[in-house]
Amino acid sequence: MTQNSPRPLHRAAGRAARSNPDNRFDRLRAEGVDDGWQRQDDDLPILRTTVREEVARSVISRNTSPDLSFDRSINPYRGCEHGCIYCFARPSHAYLGLSPGLDFETQLIARPNAAAQLEKELRAKSYVPRMIAIGTNTDAYQPIEKTHKIMRDILGVLRDFNHPVGIVTKGTLIERDIDILAPMAAKGLVRVGISVTTLDRDTSRAMEPRVPPPAARLRTIRRLTDAGIPVRIMVSPVVPALTDHELEAILVAGKEAGAIAASSIVLRLPREVSVLFRDWVAEAYPDRAARIMARVRELHGGKDYDPAFGTRMRGQGQWAALMRKRFEVCANRLGLDHSLPSLRNDLFAPPPRTGDQMALF
């Protein structure tokens, strides 16, 4: 459906987005018209997830953002079935000719040759190793990874090259790869961030409909840390007037689960995410929707979002300052007020290929 459709075209059970806003790059706009025929919502087809494949010509993406602690990343998938309504990556689907709304959650693209392409790029003579971030745009451990296993293949390449990697995820499927991650962690080559937005199962299910529940993510922290993998608890994003009161409780839960560091980012709603979030919150929390959006605008200089470097993730104003102070006090009390250990670049070495001449010394 389009943003202007009078009634849905599908039953979008388990989806966060309420609509499919038009692609901002399209010259034409579609508008649904009620033709007068009465149709019950129960008669609508269920909106299913579809996956198509893309041959990746390159896999390492570069950035120069002063707000980020890394300069390169990998995205095994485009789109994300987790369907978090607040996801800042939604607008990237427009570059594929798709909508940042329901399309982002249901029309996914897998890159099955990503690991092979990564190996080619790491073998380039000009390549200089630095931590590769994974999961910073769409989650590599979303449900389709269970069958496609692209992330696992990528980790296998990074392990073979002794290449450092930082992973951010909400997916408990990361536990499957402990056999790869634990030996890498023992060498100082891996660190993980687990995002927990709320401890309330119902709130999580509404905002993040296909993400494992909060309790499951906390168990994942424990299993990773028990395996010697350093984990950061990420209170991200903090949704004002909805989840902000849980800040300290989430930090405490993360510490009890074994996290050794913590971070927090405020809600940001770039481009189409703003419309999608407003529609969602009006339906899911009508009693506090106006208050939530008022707080969001307070965070971003009177707008739904301000993309300015330096403040877009921290927010601005008194409420943002209060949240930062609360985080600092609690993180300090819990011993979470530091960064994860730096990863090693000096171990990087391309493994020999079949047919390569062995070194004499």
Side-chain angles (χ1 to χ4, degrees):
M1 63 182 274
T2 69
Q3 185 180 341
N4 300 317
S5 297
R7 61 176 65 215
L9 301 178
H10 299 88
R11 278 185 289 153
R15 309 294 181 180
R18 271 39 179 182
S19 63
N20 243 354
D22 287 320
N23 188 313
R24 64 182 178 275
F25 298 113
D26 286 345
R27 293 183 178 181
L28 301 178
R29 293 289 181 267
E31 181 173 352
V33 177
D34 192 339
D35 59 8
W37 287 90
Q38 298 298 316
R39 185 177 187 184
Q40 299 297 321
D41 286 350
D42 289 345
D43 296 332
L44 297 173
I46 296 176
L47 186 57
R48 305 288 188 186
T49 300
T50 61
V51 183
R52 57 189 173 94
E53 295 184 348
E54 169 189 271
V55 176
R57 296 182 178 179
S58 65
V59 293
I60 300 178
S61 300
R62 309 281 179 157
N63 81 82
T64 57
S65 171
D67 289 336
L68 301 177
S69 61
F70 57 89
D71 68 353
R72 64 199 69 183
S73 60
I74 295 175
N75 293 299
Y77 303 101
R78 301 185 191 274
C80 187
E81 195 176 5
H82 279 162
C84 304
I85 189 60
Y86 50 74
C87 182
F88 63 86
R90 285 180 176 273
S92 64
H93 235 43
Y95 294 105
L96 306 176
L98 299 170
S99 172
L102 287 167
D103 285 352
F104 179 80
E105 305 175 38
T106 62
Q107 296 194 40
L108 312 180
I109 296 174
R111 311 174 81 193
N113 72 317
Q117 179 61 34
L118 173 62
E119 180 169 354
K120 291 180 182 179
E121 294 176 30
L122 296 185
R123 287 189 182 278
K125 293 182 179 180
S126 60
Y127 183 77
V128 177
R130 283 187 177 80
M131 185 193 77
I132 289 178
I134 304 180
T136 57
N137 195 50
T138 57
D139 202 321
Y141 286 106
Q142 59 181 287
I144 60 173
E145 166 63 16
K146 187 173 184 179
T147 53
H148 285 71
K149 300 181 181 179
I150 299 173
M151 177 59 172
R152 184 169 175 83
D153 290 342
I154 288 172
L155 286 178
V157 172
L158 296 174
R159 173 200 59 202
D160 294 345
F161 279 74
N162 281 325
H163 195 293
V165 59
I167 302 169
V168 173
T169 186
K170 295 185 179 76
T172 56
L173 184 58
I174 190 175
E175 295 175 29
R176 177 202 63 189
D177 295 336
I178 286 177
D179 62 320
I180 297 177
L181 296 172
M184 291 183 70
K187 295 180 178 181
L189 294 173
V190 66
R191 61 192 188 196
V192 174
I194 301 292
S195 176
V196 179
T197 312
T198 174
L199 296 176
D200 184 83
R201 186 184 181 99
D202 292 338
T203 303
S204 175
R205 187 170 180 81
M207 285 198 305
E208 317 157 325
R210 302 200 175 203
V211 173
R217 281 175 264 169
L218 292 171
R219 288 194 296 270
T220 294
I221 293 176
R222 170 53 61 197
R223 287 165 184 161
L224 292 174
T225 56
D226 283 350
I229 301 164
V231 178
R232 169 173 50 120
I233 178 77
M234 303 173 64
V235 191
S236 306
V238 177
V239 183
L242 182 60
T243 67
D244 58 285
H245 65 284
E246 297 187 71
L247 176 63
E248 290 83 359
I250 295 172
L251 290 174
V252 169
K255 175 68 175 181
E256 291 176 348
I260 62 173
S263 64
S264 180
I265 298 175
V266 299
L267 178 69
R268 49 197 180 110
L269 305 174
R271 296 188 181 275
E272 295 90 346
V273 185
S274 174
V275 173
L276 291 164
F277 185 84
R278 287 200 307 265
D279 289 347
W280 171 82
V281 77
E283 182 176 329
Y285 296 95
D287 59 325
R288 65 184 94 173
R291 182 183 174 201
I292 290 171
M293 291 310 303
R295 283 289 192 197
V296 168
R297 296 184 186 104
E298 179 184 336
L299 278 171
H300 298 289
K303 298 178 287 188
D304 285 2
Y305 180 60
D306 182 354
F309 290 136
T311 59
R312 58 179 180 155
M313 297 182 183
R314 292 164 48 87
Q316 51 190 292
Q318 293 183 349
W319 190 86
L322 175 61
M323 290 302 300
R324 286 196 295 273
K325 187 62 176 179
R326 285 174 55 193
F327 175 85
E328 291 168 3
V329 169
C330 188
N332 179 269
R333 175 170 59 84
L334 295 172
L336 297 174
D337 57 334
H338 54 79
S339 301
L340 288 175
S342 298
L343 300 182
R344 298 184 64 177
N345 298 310
D346 60 306
L347 298 179
F348 176 79
R353 293 172 292 193
T354 301
D356 283 355
Q357 184 176 358
M358 296 181 63
L360 297 178
F361 303 99

